[in-house]
Amino acid sequence: MSEELILPTLRWLPEAKSWQPFRGLQPCDWPPEVEPERLPRPAYAVGTRVYFEYVGPRPWEGVIQLIELPGGHYQPWEDLAALIARRYYRSAAIVYLIQARGHLRLVRAPRILGLSTGSELRPLLEHGYEDF
C-alpha cells in the first residue's frame, strides 16, 4: 500500500490538549483534507478512572492510558471526505486505551459508562473476583 492510502492515527496529547497525527510511533504531518478544528474533544482525560462495558454483564473498571482516533488503510475509490468524517469527526469514534485487570483494553467512547466513584472492593473487582 502506498503512503497516501493510509490515514494517520490521531492521538490526544494531554499536555497540549490537542490531537497529533501519528504513523506508527512517529508524529507526522496532518493530511491536507483534515480540519483539526472539527475534531471532537475527549469526554475523559488520561489518568481518569472509569467504568466501561467489556465482557459480561458487569461493568469493568480501569484507568485511561491513551486516547486516539484510529486512522488506517483506505481504498482509492472511497470518498475521502466521508471517510474522514466517519473516522475523525464523530465523538463515538474516539478509542480509549484503558488499563484494567492487568491488561490494556481498547474501548470505544460509547462503551464508557462514566467515572468510577471508587470503593473498598476495587482490588477484588479489578482482579476478576466478581463472584467472591
Side-chain angles (χ1 to χ4, degrees):
M1 284 259 153
S2 65
E3 187 76 13
E4 65 270 2
L5 295 180
I6 301 172
L7 285 175
T9 295
L10 305 182
R11 292 202 183 115
W12 182 255
L13 302 179
E15 310 82 30
K17 294 190 181 351
S18 66
W19 296 101
Q20 170 68 48
F22 279 81
R23 290 200 191 281
L25 299 175
Q26 300 299 318
C28 64
D29 294 329
W30 285 94
E33 303 85 2
V34 175
E35 301 170 34
E37 64 277 358
R38 291 187 56 196
L39 297 170
R41 295 186 63 80
Y44 303 97
V46 171
T48 303
R49 183 173 282 277
V50 294
Y51 284 118
F52 61 98
E53 295 175 345
Y54 197 68
V55 175
R58 295 192 182 154
W60 288 36
E61 184 178 26
V63 176
I64 296 173
Q65 301 295 324
L66 182 73
I67 304 168
E68 62 184 22
L69 287 164
H73 295 279
Y74 64 93
Q75 301 300 323
W77 58 82
E78 289 185 80
D79 178 6
L80 190 55
L83 181 70
I84 288 172
R86 188 174 67 248
R87 289 193 185 176
Y88 289 165
Y89 297 152
R90 299 177 313 121
S91 59
I94 295 175
V95 173
Y96 293 89
L97 186 73
I98 300 176
Q99 172 114 24
R101 299 184 185 178
H103 298 280
L104 294 171
R105 318 284 178 177
L106 292 171
V107 181
R108 290 219 175 256
R111 299 185 65 89
I112 295 184
L113 304 174
L115 296 174
S116 169
T117 57
S119 85
E120 64 280 355
L121 296 177
R122 183 179 297 147
L124 291 176
L125 294 173
E126 287 181 353
H127 295 287
Y129 303 110
E130 291 94 344
D131 299 323
F132 190 84

